[in-house]
Amino acid sequence: NGLGHAIGVAATRPDGGTVLFEGDGGLWMHVQELECIARHGLKMLIVVSNDGGFGAEIHHLRHDGIDPAHAVFGHGDLAALAEAFGLDGRRVTGAGQISEAVRDYRKSDRAMLIDIQASDRVISPMFRRRLEKGH
């Protein structure tokens, strides 16, 4: 849920050095702010880990033996959505595409959203330790 904060930082840094790493669930909760970014001509990079759901909740529910179906909403095309709001958008399905998208962002004068398709089955080591400790 860092999009609003990142917009504030980007407004003070016209150099385009503002980068937000966000989950798809957090982005969906504040998606209307993409219009604000375009309207104000802010240059910022939004990198979204798109696992098709509320990842933390999915991992907690699975760990507790509960069906996570209600925390899953699917892999919407967030890059296309960003473009509809007037930003540049890239959908990434392989690691090799990330550096190309970042190069394109650096050459551009607009904000960009990079939609990285991720698996909801992969748990970071930090989150795994947290689950092992009992939430």
Side-chain angles (χ1 to χ4, degrees):
N1 294 313
L3 188 56
H5 298 287
I7 289 170
V9 172
T12 66
R13 295 183 65 183
D15 64 352
T18 303
V19 180
L20 170 67
F21 292 90
E22 181 72 283
D24 53 336
L27 182 73
W28 280 118
M29 286 192 267
H30 303 282
V31 71
Q32 73 279 1
E33 300 302 339
L34 297 180
E35 186 278 333
C36 178
I37 295 167
R39 180 169 24 98
H40 290 283
L42 301 176
K43 180 166 168 115
M44 60 186 290
L45 182 60
I46 305 162
V47 181
V48 181
S49 177
N50 186 348
D51 65 359
F54 293 111
E57 286 76 8
I58 290 169
H59 298 312
H60 279 291
L61 291 168
R62 282 190 184 131
H63 180 265
D64 294 341
I66 302 169
D67 180 4
H70 293 294
V72 175
F73 45 74
H75 288 86
D77 189 343
L78 300 174
L81 182 66
E83 290 177 353
F85 275 105
L87 283 61
D88 290 332
R90 297 291 184 280
R91 190 169 202 188
V92 170
T93 57
Q97 298 169 321
I98 296 171
S99 59
E100 180 182 337
V102 172
R103 275 193 304 272
D104 290 346
Y105 169 72
R106 287 182 175 154
K107 293 177 189 174
S108 173
D109 62 351
R110 300 181 345 156
M112 176 184 280
L113 184 146
I114 300 176
D115 177 6
I116 299 177
Q117 301 296 293
S119 169
D120 68 4
R121 295 288 177 175
V122 177
I123 303 173
S124 73
M126 179 199 72
F127 202 85
R128 183 174 289 115
R129 285 190 299 274
R130 183 176 165 194
L131 288 174
E132 290 167 357
K133 289 180 181 178
H135 308 296

